[in-house]
Amino acid sequence: MTGSSRNTFYVLLLTLVLAGLWTGSASAQGPTPTDDEVNRIAKQLYCPVCESTPLDVCPTEACRQWRDLIRTMLAEGKNEEEIKQYFVEQYGVRVLNEPPNRLVSYIVPVVAILLGAFILFRGFQTWIKPSMMKSNLEDAKQETKPFQDLYIAKLEEELKKRK
Amino acid sequence: MIANFGFGVLVITFLVTLYSVFAAIYGERKKIPAMVESARRAMLLTWPLLTLTASILIYLLVNDHYEVQFVYEVTSRSMPTYLKVTAWWGGQAGSLLFWSWLMSAFASLVTLRKWDRDREFLPWVIVVACVTMAFFIGMTVFFESPFAQLYQMSTGVEAHTFQPANSILFIPQDGNGLNPLLRHPGMVIHPPMLYLGFVSFVIPYAFAMAALITGRTDDRWIRLTRRWTLWAWMFLSFGLVLGGRWAYDVLGWGGYWGWDPVEIAAFMPWLTGTAFLHSVMIQEKRGLLKHWNMLLIILTYDLVIFGTFLTRSGVLSSVHAFAQSAIGPLFMGFVSATLVASVALIIYRWDSLKSETEMTSLLSREALFLLNNLLFMSILVVCFWGVIFPLISELFTGQTVTVGPPFYERATGPLFATLMFLMGIAPLSAWGHSTVKTIGRAIWKPIVGALIMTAIIFATYTRNAIALVGFFLIALVILVTIYEYWRGANARQKSQGENIFAAFWNLTGRNRRRYGGYIIHLSMMLMAIGILGIELFQVETQGALEVNQQMSVGGYDVVYQDIAQFQGPDGREVTRAVLSVYKGGEYLGELNPRIDYYYDAQQTMTIPGQRSTLRDDLYILLVDWEPASATGATFKIFVNPLVNWLWLGSLLFLVGIVIAAWPEKDAERVAVHSNARVQQQTSAAD
């Protein structure tokens, strides 16, 4: 690379970097975020003062101001996580629509359900004797009628007798 | 004066319920039938007494007696009369009285039945019903009196049941007015339905306890209360659906269910009640699971009380609110005491509750019903944990957390899907034993049908995997149910020579419980279509529009035409927008979303403009508007696909439950008819 071409390369590189920076800052200050963009984040937050009301549907004046705050933060280039983090810092984790530590919130029901399933299947093992299962299988092999339902079978038996 | 009279009647009713409890126990212990009869009559007296109390309260509500604290809190002069009457259950004290009144009606109804064959149950049914009633009436007498009056004291205005010294009666000019959210026709019937469901579950519980106390632990108590349980379940289910419809029409967030703790509080007894409805059949048919059925009805009863506690104690807003009123600790104490006493009774009768037979197959109907119970209990665990987790978190870490829809949807979604799959298999299994082969032989046709329907949905409607699994399961359950109907009707058609309609009619009439149950399964699937539609395919957009400006969403074009503000007849200011709706260029009509501002309660309500079809609902909310120019307004538009199927399903559900709960002819009498043989075989088969 010659000296002039190297200079041209540096100028181009600088231009590209500056252009990139300019584009970045332009998008940060860009057009006002739409209501849908605001609601997409507000939907994941709960009103910090009302009970059990998501922020996107809360009709109070305070919530309107919080939605405007989300709009402002979006316009400043903040992303979803940053905005949610801001609300958590200001009002506590209760503004999030689910507990921050998922492991803690899910572990108890999952363990309880697995335990219930385990108890039930142990129960099945105790209740159902292997000999019974075998005889059931044999019953099934001998089965030739299309329906197992006793009610239907009896009705069809009646029909045959009448004929 | 009138308020004092009302309070006096309430106190007398409380004493009568206590007398009933003691007379029943004493009469039973000392073997004095006259005492038990006296207890029964005392219990019968509670309903007229509470009706008188309620009439006095309604008189005060309708005639603007604002010196009564409850009247002041829930009514205002501008409210129409019917709302002043329904304000009875619009506040804490009134709703406790309403609960007691319904309970007394049900208790009276149950004591009016013939007790000849079950006389030993009577005293204990009276005891359980009257203890429950005494608890609720006691609550209104001692802590939440609807007849407390306002008195001007030197320190300010205070509410007291009896006039304090150096005070004068304070009569406000107008009341606060009912919470606007409760001024909706849906709210007129939603709470009574829910409460009916709650109180009617007390009856099977009372019989279960009577069975445990007397040691008569066969399935007689289940047979006696079968219809009660079905009606209780119907009221509770319909109460939940009405609550959903009310939320959809009034709350203005485009949905019907928000996994709010108050909703879950009513949903939890429904879960155990539904498990119980299935599980008792195992005991009736096979003599199994007697302990489990007892436990389920105890859980249902205590969840009813726990649900009332959750919504009434203020504990949901903060765990610290629990101790602020006496209501919270008392409810907690009552729930704990009844739970401990009931479980102790089960342990006491453990041996006599042992199963009469053994389970013989993993695919028998009883085994599948047990799986169904496991799933209902799993959903209950998720719901219970979701409700109490914030309280536990606040108690132990001081950190308040919110458990919102994502938790419940993620945790219960697979459980509901498995339940639907079971709903597809179980009707094809037989009591006693079934094998993969017998079920496979019956199910392959519905599976093929469901796969074809899913393929059509894949080609024409959606490629969302969760939706396709959901639609497959819905199609499977519907086809299995129709197939079961068809098999039965076809067999009748052949054997009785009936035409297909008569065969369907008679088939259902011969075994209402089974075929009513199938209709309920179908109705649940229609509801599932609506739930899948709105949960997975709802689209929404929000934006500000100038007059004649258009916004498009989900294939609809909406044009903002006008906005107007006027005074409503019942003390509200109405701001009503006019929007024209088009689809594919075709004009479909006008929608009028509005905001109502209630002067007395100083609260607004956002009422959507809705256009409903079987395909979808267009649901428009007026979010904001500019009073100065009135040219610009902000709208939020939802397109909720298939949601109407949810409401249609709930209507079919009513049909199903009426069929299932309709009184059947006495089996013993039916047996003597000329075609007795077939009928006996029918009942034997089921």
Side-chain angles (χ1 to χ4, degrees), chain B residues 87-324:
Chain B
W88 175 14
W89 49 83
Q92 175 116 304
S95 65
L96 287 172
L97 178 64
F98 187 59
W99 214 104
S100 314
W101 180 72
L102 287 175
M103 181 70 233
S104 69
F106 274 68
S108 301
L109 269 177
V110 86
T111 41
L112 286 174
R113 72 180 297 279
K114 281 184 186 166
W115 286 87
D116 310 341
R117 290 162 62 192
D118 313 292
R119 192 145 281 277
E120 71 263 47
F121 285 160
L122 178 64
W124 302 111
V125 169
I126 293 175
V127 169
V128 173
C130 281
V131 163
T132 312
M133 227 179 334
F135 174 73
F136 278 88
I137 299 173
M139 205 75 83
T140 55
V141 169
F142 297 107
F143 304 103
E144 287 286 342
S145 170
F147 297 107
Q149 296 179 88
L150 299 169
Y151 293 98
Q152 180 73 59
M153 325 249 299
S154 55
T155 49
V157 177
E158 288 179 21
H160 291 277
T161 305
F162 301 106
Q163 184 164 10
N166 302 322
S167 68
I168 51 164
L169 196 64
F170 178 73
I171 307 174
Q173 282 302 302
D174 202 351
N176 272 341
L178 190 63
N179 182 339
L181 293 173
L182 306 182
R183 300 183 194 189
H184 181 270
M187 254 301 141
V188 175
I189 40 176
H190 159 64
M193 280 286 164
L194 218 48
Y195 279 22
L196 275 173
F198 280 176
V199 297
S200 43
F201 265 120
V202 176
I203 304 299
Y205 169 76
F207 274 88
M209 290 305 100
L212 283 176
I213 295 168
T214 56
R216 198 176 158 187
T217 49
D218 57 4
D219 57 3
R220 181 69 186 155
W221 72 273
I222 286 178
R223 290 183 191 281
L224 284 173
T225 56
R226 181 198 283 169
R227 207 157 297 123
W228 280 101
T229 313
L230 275 172
W231 289 120
W233 191 68
M234 183 201 80
F235 288 130
L236 194 52
S237 309
F238 213 60
L240 284 166
V241 171
L242 279 173
R245 182 72 218 197
W246 167 78
Y248 192 70
D249 288 343
V250 171
L251 293 186
W253 38 262
Y256 56 90
W257 184 261
W259 291 105
D260 180 87
V262 176
E263 294 167 341
I264 297 169
F267 187 49
M268 287 194 290
W270 184 88
L271 289 168
T272 48
T274 313
F276 177 73
L277 272 180
H278 288 90
S279 172
V280 289
M281 281 190 255
I282 308 177
Q283 185 171 338
E284 284 181 48
K285 307 290 180 197
R286 306 271 299 138
L288 295 162
L289 301 180
K290 292 179 182 176
H291 301 105
W292 180 239
N293 287 329
M294 283 288 177
L295 200 59
L296 276 180
I297 195 65
I298 292 166
L299 270 179
T300 307
Y301 171 81
D302 276 315
L303 283 170
V304 160
I305 311 286
F306 182 71
T308 319
F309 153 72
L310 277 183
T311 48
R312 291 281 151 222
S313 64
V315 71
L316 289 173
S317 56
S318 165
V319 72
H320 304 300
F322 170 74
Q324 281 170 12

Side-chain angles (χ1 to χ4, degrees), chain A residues 35-36 39 43 46 51-52 57 94 96-98 102 105-106 109 129 136 145 149 151 159 161, chain B residues 253 260 317 358-360 385 399-400 402 404-405 410 441 487 494 507 514 540-542 677 682 685:
Chain A
D35 287 353
D36 288 343
N39 281 341
K43 201 186 270 291
Y46 267 65
E51 244 174 73
S52 307
V57 294
R94 62 169 295 201
L96 298 174
N97 63 1
E98 63 177 327
R102 275 195 193 171
S105 53
Y106 281 87
K129 310 273 184 303
N136 281 344
K145 288 178 188 169
D149 193 303
Y151 174 71
L159 176 68
K161 278 180 192 166
Chain B
W253 38 262
D260 180 87
S317 56
E358 283 174 319
M359 205 164 277
T360 50
W385 181 246
Q399 196 178 48
T400 318
T402 303
R410 216 174 284 132
R441 213 181 289 154
R487 271 170 59 176
K494 285 178 188 165
L507 182 75
R514 181 182 199 176
E540 63 174 90
T541 190
Q542 181 177 312
R677 197 169 160 191
T682 309

Side-chain angles (χ1 to χ4, degrees), chain A residues 34-40 43-44 46-47 51-61 64 67 71 88 91-121 123-129 131-163, chain B residues 251-254 258-261 289 316-318 355 358-362 365-368 370-371 374 377-379 381-382 385 389 399-408 410-411 415 427-430 432-435 437-438 441-442 483-484 486-492 494-496 506-507 510 514-515 518 538 540-544 604 606 623-624 634-636 638 677-678 681-686:
Chain A
T34 63
D35 287 353
D36 288 343
E37 285 166 330
V38 172
N39 281 341
R40 204 167 297 130
K43 201 186 270 291
Q44 299 172 52
Y46 267 65
C47 165
E51 244 174 73
S52 307
T53 313
L55 189 55
D56 65 321
V57 294
C58 185
T60 62
E61 187 52 41
R64 193 164 304 169
R67 287 194 291 270
R71 196 189 306 274
V88 169
Y91 308 105
V93 287
R94 62 169 295 201
V95 295
L96 298 174
N97 63 1
E98 63 177 327
N101 191 340
R102 275 195 193 171
L103 184 70
V104 178
S105 53
Y106 281 87
I107 194 87
V108 171
V110 167
V111 168
I113 292 168
L114 290 177
L115 194 68
F118 176 73
I119 292 168
L120 183 66
F121 283 103
F124 276 143
Q125 279 181 339
T126 332
W127 292 327
I128 302 169
K129 310 273 184 303
S131 57
M132 284 178 177
M133 289 186 79
K134 201 179 163 190
S135 75
N136 281 344
L137 281 173
E138 279 162 10
D139 283 354
K141 277 178 194 164
Q142 286 162 10
E143 174 80 41
T144 50
K145 288 178 188 169
F147 303 125
Q148 190 68 19
D149 193 303
L150 273 172
Y151 174 71
I152 310 291
K154 292 280 181 192
L155 281 174
E156 290 191 340
E157 204 175 294
E158 279 290 307
L159 176 68
K160 278 179 198 161
K161 278 180 192 166
R162 286 188 183 207
K163 278 177 182 171
Chain B
L251 293 186
W253 38 262
W259 291 105
D260 180 87
L289 301 180
L316 289 173
S317 56
S318 165
S355 300
E358 283 174 319
M359 205 164 277
T360 50
S361 156
L362 266 178
R365 190 173 287 192
E366 55 269 33
L368 296 178
L370 253 185
L371 272 180
L374 173 72
M377 297 313 284
S378 301
I379 298 169
V381 165
V382 171
W385 181 246
F389 184 67
Q399 196 178 48
T400 318
V401 294
T402 303
V403 180
F407 167 81
Y408 294 104
R410 216 174 284 132
L415 298 170
L428 299 172
S429 68
H433 65 274
S434 288
T435 61
K437 214 171 181 179
T438 55
R441 213 181 289 154
Y483 181 57
E484 270 293 289
W486 178 82
R487 271 170 59 176
N490 197 35
R492 273 200 74 86
K494 285 178 188 165
S495 66
Q496 306 288 322
N506 291 327
L507 182 75
R510 287 272 180 270
R514 181 182 199 176
Y515 290 99
Y518 285 166
Q538 183 184 53
E540 63 174 90
T541 190
Q542 181 177 312
T604 56
T606 312
V623 177
D624 203 2
T634 303
F635 296 96
K636 192 171 196 175
F638 293 88
R677 197 169 160 191
V678 173
Q681 284 159 347
T682 309
S683 58
D686 260 300

